[in-house]
Amino acid sequence: MKPFDIVIVGGGGAGLYAAMEAMKTNPALNIAVLSKVYPNRSHTSAAQGGANAALGNKAKDDTVEMHIFDTIKGSDYLADQDAVDVLCSEAPKIIRELENMGTPWSRMEDNTIAQRPFGGAGRPRCCYCSDKTGHTILQTLYEQCLKKGVIFFNEYFALNLSVSGSRSNGLIAMNMKSGKVEAFPAKTVIFATGGYAKMYWNRSSNAAGNTGDGQAIAYRAGIPLKDMEFVQFHPTGLRKSGLLVTEGARGEGGYLLNKDGERFMSRYAPEKMELGPRDLVSRSLETEILQGRGFDSPAGKYLHLDLTHLGADLIKSRLPQIREMSMNFEGIDPIEEPIPVRPTAHYSMGGIDTDNQTRTVMGGVYAAGECGCVSVHGANRLGGNSLLDILVFGRIAGHTAAEEAGKFSPGTISEAELAEQFEEIRGGMHTSGRYERYGELREELGQTLALNVGIFRESSLLQKGIADIAELKERFKKVRISDASDVFNTNLMQVLELKNMLDLAETVAAGASVRQESRGSHTRIDFPVRDDANWHKHTLATLVNGKVTLGEKPVTMGRYELQERTY
Amino acid sequence: MTVPTDQHKEGKKDVTFRVFRFNPQVDSKPYFDDYTIPVERGVTVLRSLNYIKEHIDGSVSFRAFCQAGICGSCGMRVNGLSQLACTTQVWDVLAKSREPGIIKVEPLRNLPLIKDLIVDMDPLVDKMKHYSNWVDSTMPEAQMGKKEFLISEEEFLRYDKATDCILCASCVSECSILRANREYVSPAVLLKSYRMNVDSRDAIHEQRLAELVKDHGVWDCTHCYRCQESCVKSIPIMDAIHGIREDAIESRGMKDTSGSKHAEAFMSDIEKKGKLIEATLPIRTNGVVWTLQNLLPMAMKMIMKRRTPPPPPLVKSAKGIKIFRKMFREMTEHVKQDHKSHKK
Ligand SMILES: Cc1cc2nc3c(=O)[nH]c(=O)nc-3n(C[C@H](O)[C@H](O)[C@H](O)COP(=O)(O)OP(=O)(O)OC[C@H]3O[C@@H](n4cnc5c(N)ncnc54)[C@H](O)[C@@H]3O)c2cc1C
Ligand code: SF4
Ligand code: SF4
Ligand code: FES
């Protein structure tokens, strides 16, 4: 294949914005977007809430500065303040840009873009389109990319970077339709493959494919991952699937009840009750379960989100989505029965370490969106800041790669290397001596992570988690692929995704065990307070001789001094 | 993941999933495989397929991603009806199943088959490109990001529902015209085209419309309603189709009779292809009644409107409406005849 100037891996919000911006920056460039699903299927479509920007449409006195402060405080002071500056100052412009291109934002009475309040924000600055914000943003970007004639390689699964020394030659990917392993020699590669929270499997709100492929590929190529231990949990996931029941249910007056029928939030947040901050509510649910006040079921322990007292009319008119979800995925009508819920892994703060221009340490390799870590979210992301992140840094990635592509020469990817990759992924198809079931391994990975590397962490738990992951990696060597077909082998794809999750799980557990403090989403029972003297820094996980090796990186400070985070 | 069992509640039922199989590498033609598994209340078709894939046969192939009804990946036919596997309850389907205890799962129709339950979506994407399914903004790129367009709630509501579309292609699979003519624009693409056309930020409304009234375009639709009835997001697709037609007549006028010409050509198509009628009969009746009630008065309205200056050449409009009338007479006749032959 003819070498590309830019290969973008991922067709979610970050990847599509990067593609659009790169074409705008230099229309002469040869750009390709690879995605394992059709771009419009990407997980960006699942974001309902909205995207933050200090437009001041709703609260006239809102400012970019206030947005910056809220973000830094929300991050528990682990965000890099110069990066947050970029995020928040670019916000109004990028939201308007989307508007100018056709995103159907909901509107205020004066016909400007509508905004609503969101957790952790001092002003109502979350821009939304009904409850389908991510979906409409993704549609707009996909439409605009089609308009610009972006070249898409849909249903291509990225396998690895081809690396010579410290240089990337480009990307190696599998064409799902043919099963062929193909080379994408390129001057620059942008990773935009989304998050890794699906490693918690059915304790995750994420799509099946949020398996951290880009992070795993970068990691295997020797690029450091940053702050991997920070995974955000949302308090109310459905028991069976982990799918999200949005905050709206509690906002309308839903109760959280334990098996004794007690509104247990009175113990943890007597004033705010069910409406306390996300991490606090998650920890409260988890505590109830750990202390034996949860319900039991074959699908695991859970609590009740009770809406029955709100009445059929209110539920039907204000919470139709939530009702539909619990009927579809739990078989329960919340008008008649409480919804079974428990906390669910929702967002990955950690990711590929980049600078503010999205550059990684490897020349010509960039990362943006949930798979990158600039870092703007630090130890805890604010609702509505992630869509913003993927737009702002997606655009920066596209621009930077387009400007810098000329500096790099495209590498060559040899036939031998392709053949080797092909052999490697096909190994699992030789059935002799292979008996491990990927579904089982994946399930066990999710369980050990939820139990030992979950909301509450502690030295001995983490050691157990690390040992479990190592054992699972060993068993993975015997995993069996039972589909022998070249054509659209989803079985093979799931196994490759599991491999990526196993590699990354190791870095999450390692980071969690080394960070001896509690900060943001990372709660250590044995180190319950934030320790700025020793731990006000990022962790870096690098693969050295097949082993995860931890390093650190200072946090960039700015106008805001460290403060205690109270709400 | 196993399909969990809350036995204390309602117990479970043994369900046979009759799955369409085809691997182009080895199979000369498709066949069905039966998988029987216990399923409890609250389990979706997708979760059942996942269970089958993980525990019985890893080679069963289908697409799924969000598992929450938002990404549009898992469109397939369940007991003959195109829908999302991830939001379809097994017990609900069973209750309506013609063969007790059996659920038939097949790929979407009207798109090329790749393997098992997976079809090729590229033709749909190509049509989105062909019909410029994007807002081509009136604002030059260099100006973007500086200020907002002011959009009224009224305008927002015009396309709000249409932007719910997740491109799952269920409507495409159910469309009666597509079965006869794969080049037909497709309901989802008509919906998106309409959504763009009513957006005041868009600059290429005329150009898009010009494309939509050509061969295989909006005039080929028979108003059979199947798309709307099968839409997984309950989008009133017919409003969009109706809207485009109304718009075409209004802004392009009867002077450009391409619309009615196409309608005519289409009628002769139907005459030639009896099978088309057969496939669409049950809902077609609906369509015609609807058409007579809605489209005819609408066309009249258009003509009345045109009385106001500048007056269009009356004779041409009258000719237009004649053709319309003729078309509807013909369609009604066809349906009547078909009803008769069906009853025999
Ligand atoms: C239920 C839910 C609700 C949310 N709500 C909000 C909200 O209200 N506000 C907010 O700001 N954020 C929200 N978020 C977070 C936000 O949606 C995500 O962080 C964001 O959309 C990620 O975008 P992305 O472009 O980085 O990645 P994604 O949209 O996940 O896209 C990743 C892309 O990479 C591709 N890809 C991955 N691996 C490979 C591979 N191996 N080969 C080829 N391609 C690959 C995929 O096909 C996909 O196209 C929510 C998240 C969830 C789970
Ligand atoms: S009304 Fe019938 S013919 Fe027209 S687009 Fe819908 S399904 Fe197709
Ligand atoms: S219109 Fe409805 S059925 Fe058709 S693709 Fe869109 S969401 Fe699916
Ligand atoms: S898996 Fe996304 S809609 Fe069904």
Side-chain angles (χ1 to χ4, degrees):
Chain A
M1 198 172 299
K2 188 166 152 267
F4 289 95
D5 294 297
I6 307 176
V7 166
I8 299 168
V9 194
L16 295 183
Y17 223 116
M20 223 170 57
E21 187 67 21
M23 290 194 79
K24 209 158 122 183
T25 307
N26 184 352
L29 295 181
N30 184 15
I31 300 166
V33 177
L34 254 85
S35 180
K36 66 179 174 183
V37 296
Y38 279 85
N40 53 304
R41 315 261 187 247
S42 304
H43 200 56
T44 294
S45 64
Q48 301 183 330
N52 298 333
L55 292 173
N57 289 355
K58 176 95 177 175
K60 301 290 172 215
D61 63 344
D62 194 14
T63 61
V64 166
E65 201 52 46
M66 287 161 100
H67 187 188
I68 293 174
F69 176 70
D70 288 342
T71 304
I72 292 170
K73 179 181 169 194
S75 81
D76 222 346
Y77 295 87
L78 197 67
D80 293 300
Q81 299 196 4
D82 53 346
V84 176
D85 267 0
V86 175
L87 179 82
C88 303
S89 352
E90 286 292 306
K93 178 163 182 271
I94 209 142
I95 296 297
R96 283 189 212 114
E97 215 170 271
L98 277 174
E99 194 278 340
N100 298 159
M101 291 186 292
T103 304
W105 297 106
S106 291
R107 297 286 163 168
M108 310 269 299
E109 260 169 22
D110 66 357
N111 298 347
T112 56
I113 297 171
Q115 298 188 283
R116 63 181 162 205
F118 230 58
R123 293 287 182 280
R125 68 171 75 94
C126 187
C127 311
Y128 63 95
C129 168
S130 317
D131 56 0
K132 53 180 174 184
T133 314
H135 166 74
T136 53
I137 289 178
L138 190 63
Q139 293 291 334
T140 307
L141 292 175
Y142 187 44
E143 288 154 12
Q144 294 300 312
C145 283
L146 290 180
K147 169 170 172 261
K148 280 195 178 296
V150 171
I151 301 167
F152 284 103
F153 291 87
N154 293 332
E155 310 201 304
Y156 272 69
F157 186 90
L159 295 168
N160 273 313
L161 270 179
S162 162
V163 179
S164 304
S166 60
R167 255 297 284 144
S168 147
N169 303 316
L171 193 84
I172 300 176
M174 175 174 63
N175 179 347
M176 290 300 296
K177 272 184 202 159
S178 67
K180 287 209 173 69
V181 171
E182 299 178 16
F184 290 81
K187 293 179 183 170
T188 63
V189 175
I190 300 174
F191 285 106
T193 55
Y196 56 82
K198 195 61 186 175
M199 65 169 69
Y200 289 77
W201 202 245
N202 57 14
R203 294 289 307 275
S204 168
S205 67
N206 285 196
N210 280 18
T211 49
D213 300 350
Q215 296 88 322
I217 291 171
Y219 177 63
R220 286 195 292 264
I223 298 170
L225 306 179
K226 186 159 70 193
D227 292 339
M228 292 295 283
E229 60 272 28
F230 294 103
V231 177
Q232 185 175 69
F233 280 79
H234 192 285
T236 53
L238 290 177
R239 162 193 53 177
K240 288 181 188 170
S241 54
L243 292 173
L244 204 67
V245 181
T246 58
E247 252 133 36
R250 282 171 286 139
E252 294 292 346
Y255 296 154
L256 287 167
L257 304 175
N258 62 21
K259 74 169 192 236
D260 306 324
E262 180 195 9
R263 268 182 85 188
F264 57 82
M265 281 311 296
S266 61
R267 251 198 297 286
Y268 309 94
E271 279 192 15
K272 291 215 155 185
M273 294 295 284
E274 279 83 359
L275 294 174
R278 232 179 236 187
D279 49 349
L280 174 71
V281 182
S282 288
R283 284 196 289 270
S284 310
L285 271 96
E286 197 71 5
T287 307
E288 289 297 304
I289 289 175
L290 288 175
Q291 296 182 354
R293 290 188 293 274
F295 298 87
D296 245 325
S297 83
K301 296 195 170 38
Y302 62 95
L303 294 156
H304 275 160
L305 173 58
D306 191 0
L307 310 181
T308 53
H309 59 285
L310 299 178
D313 288 349
L314 188 140
I315 293 175
K316 279 187 193 158
S317 64
R318 302 263 189 87
L319 303 167
Q321 303 272 358
I322 288 170
R323 177 163 181 245
E324 201 183 302
M325 286 232 338
S326 48
M327 298 209 293
N328 281 339
F329 304 112
E330 289 284 345
I332 277 174
D333 184 347
I335 293 177
E336 286 152 17
E337 286 176 77
I339 310 172
V341 294
R342 59 179 171 179
T344 187
H346 185 52
Y347 182 82
S348 33
M349 267 77 72
I352 302 169
D353 176 34
T354 74
D355 67 11
N356 289 350
Q357 302 302 312
T358 73
R359 299 182 195 96
T360 70
V361 294
M362 190 176 279
V365 178
Y366 310 79
E370 197 173 333
C371 89
C373 182
V374 185
S375 140
V376 290
H377 309 301
N380 177 50
R381 165 192 75 111
L382 290 189
N385 263 359
S386 174
L387 284 179
L388 181 61
D389 169 18
I390 67 176
L391 300 170
V392 168
F393 288 97
R395 179 166 69 186
I396 291 175
H399 186 76
T400 314
E403 293 271 302
E404 296 182 354
K407 288 205 315 205
F408 304 101
S409 52
T412 47
I413 301 175
S414 69
E415 283 299 322
E417 192 175 358
L418 290 183
E420 194 184 312
Q421 284 276 317
F422 185 76
E423 245 338 281
E424 196 185 318
I425 62 169
R426 289 308 172 102
M429 290 188 181
H430 309 313
T431 47
S432 69
R434 288 181 174 268
Y435 47 83
E436 291 287 359
R437 286 219 298 257
Y438 79 92
E440 227 161 69
L441 299 183
R442 196 180 56 189
E443 188 108 334
E444 284 180 38
L445 175 65
Q447 269 164 16
T448 186
L449 284 171
L451 216 60
N452 302 311
V453 199
I455 295 181
F456 289 115
R457 298 161 174 190
E458 193 248 319
S459 175
S460 63
L461 292 176
L462 289 164
Q463 290 319 309
K464 172 83 171 77
I466 289 170
D468 284 353
I469 296 164
E471 191 213 308
L472 288 168
K473 283 189 89 163
E474 210 39 50
R475 283 168 62 194
F476 179 81
K477 292 179 183 158
K478 296 266 183 275
V479 78
R480 179 173 195 160
I481 296 163
S482 38
D483 187 352
S485 163
D486 295 321
V487 181
F488 227 100
N489 195 331
T490 49
N491 192 191
L492 172 60
M493 185 163 99
Q494 285 171 317
V495 167
L496 294 171
E497 288 173 340
L498 174 60
K499 178 173 191 285
N500 290 336
M501 291 195 285
L502 284 167
D503 283 348
L504 293 186
E506 227 170 27
T507 67
V508 175
S513 104
V514 73
R515 186 177 284 277
Q516 300 188 331
E517 65 158 353
S518 291
R519 182 188 298 271
S521 69
H522 172 72
T523 308
R524 288 281 301 250
I525 301 170
D526 42 356
F527 299 96
V529 289
R530 199 175 84 187
D531 177 0
D532 289 327
N534 294 304
W535 282 106
H536 186 239
K537 58 193 175 196
H538 302 292
T539 57
L540 290 181
T542 315
L543 186 69
V544 182
N545 299 326
K547 285 222 159 59
V548 48
T549 308
L550 289 169
E552 54 188 59
K553 191 175 176 177
V555 175
T556 309
M557 295 298 279
R559 291 186 291 286
Y560 298 100
E561 294 299 321
L562 284 159
Q563 279 176 35
E564 201 189 334
R565 177 174 163 250
T566 50
Y567 285 100
Chain B
M1 179 174 51
T2 56
V3 178
T5 48
D6 276 352
Q7 269 162 311
H8 57 281
K9 248 187 205 148
E10 267 107 357
K12 30 188 182 165
K13 295 179 182 173
D14 275 338
V15 184
T16 300
F17 288 86
R18 183 156 293 165
V19 182
F20 179 100
R21 303 300 308 269
F22 178 70
N23 174 0
Q25 272 186 309
V26 289
D27 302 324
S28 55
K29 61 176 199 292
Y31 60 96
F32 286 89
D33 267 334
D34 280 3
Y35 304 95
T36 305
I37 58 168
V39 183
E40 67 165 25
R41 184 177 75 131
V43 171
T44 59
V45 171
L46 180 62
R47 278 162 59 85
S48 307
L49 289 174
N50 279 333
Y51 181 88
I52 291 166
K53 189 172 177 67
E54 274 159 38
H55 292 88
I56 307 176
D57 184 349
S59 71
V60 177
S61 303
F62 50 90
R63 289 195 189 96
F65 198 64
C66 72
Q67 312 179 67
I70 182 65
C71 77
S73 296
C74 67
M76 56 184 75
R77 278 185 302 143
V78 181
N79 274 354
L81 196 70
S82 307
Q83 49 199 310
L84 299 178
C86 72
T87 58
T88 303
Q89 290 285 316
V90 173
W91 281 29
D92 290 354
V93 181
L94 273 187
K96 287 176 272 174
S97 215
R98 232 183 299 149
E99 291 179 86
I102 296 179
I103 293 179
K104 203 170 183 182
V105 190
E106 297 163 279
L108 295 179
R109 279 186 304 221
N110 301 335
L111 289 164
L113 180 63
I114 295 179
K115 181 190 182 188
D116 293 353
L117 303 171
I118 300 172
V119 295
D120 192 351
M121 290 285 165
D122 283 349
L124 192 59
V125 178
D126 290 342
K127 284 175 189 168
M128 284 165 55
K129 282 197 239 175
H130 181 87
Y131 292 97
S132 311
N133 278 185
W134 47 74
V135 167
D136 196 329
S137 185
T138 52
M139 187 182 285
E141 216 166 63
Q143 296 295 314
M144 287 189 181
K146 297 191 181 120
K147 66 176 209 293
E148 298 174 27
F149 284 104
L150 296 179
I151 308 278
S152 66
E153 178 77 3
E154 189 202 341
E155 177 178 333
F156 171 77
L157 289 176
R158 254 185 274 156
Y159 45 71
D160 179 34
K161 205 55 199 146
T163 62
D164 281 356
C165 173
I166 57 173
L167 290 171
C168 68
S170 289
C171 57
V172 171
S173 167
E174 294 293 322
C175 173
S176 34
I177 297 308
L178 274 168
R179 286 190 79 178
N181 173 18
R182 287 225 177 156
E183 283 176 73
Y184 171 57
V185 46
S186 300
V189 175
L190 284 173
L191 178 73
K192 274 184 98 66
S193 303
Y194 174 76
R195 173 255 174 277
M196 303 303 162
N197 271 353
V198 293
D199 195 315
S200 64
R201 292 166 291 191
D202 175 65
I204 56 163
H205 163 264
E206 287 306 321
Q207 186 186 320
R208 198 177 294 113
L209 202 58
E211 212 46 49
L212 285 165
V213 297
K214 287 188 186 159
D215 282 345
H216 318 301
V218 68
W219 293 106
D220 283 12
C221 167
T222 62
H223 283 93
C224 76
Y225 262 76
R226 288 183 80 112
C227 52
Q228 178 159 322
E229 279 165 2
S230 64
C231 175
V232 303
K233 292 282 164 190
S234 311
I235 303 169
I237 304 176
M238 295 311 301
D239 287 0
I241 296 176
H242 185 190
I244 295 173
R245 289 190 174 192
E246 195 165 329
D247 186 12
I249 297 173
E250 187 154 15
S251 68
R252 300 178 67 83
M254 285 301 170
K255 63 185 185 301
D256 159 53
T257 49
S258 58
S260 23
K261 259 186 207 153
H262 283 293
E264 249 189 335
F266 174 68
M267 289 311 298
S268 71
D269 246 23
I270 291 183
E271 256 161 11
K272 277 181 235 141
K273 295 178 191 152
K275 92 169 193 278
L276 196 65
I277 291 270
E278 226 171 73
T280 66
L281 187 73
I283 312 169
R284 173 178 294 272
T285 324
N286 248 345
V288 170
V289 170
W290 182 92
T291 312
L292 287 172
Q293 280 175 349
N294 294 276
L295 202 56
L296 207 57
M298 185 268 291
M300 289 297 286
K301 201 172 73 199
M302 291 298 131
I303 289 160
M304 299 297 275
K305 262 194 201 164
R306 276 169 198 286
R307 287 241 180 90
T308 50
L314 238 164
V315 58
K316 279 206 177 166
S317 295
K319 194 174 141 208
I321 198 73
K322 264 186 201 155
I323 295 167
F324 259 104
R325 286 217 184 91
K326 184 163 157 268
M327 166 186 162
F328 295 139
R329 249 197 327 271
E330 279 181 17
M331 277 177 83
T332 324
E333 275 310 306
H334 269 282
V335 172
K336 272 190 202 147
Q337 272 169 19
D338 250 76
H339 257 306
K340 274 183 211 152
S341 59
H342 250 254
K343 277 185 190 132
K344 268 180 213 161

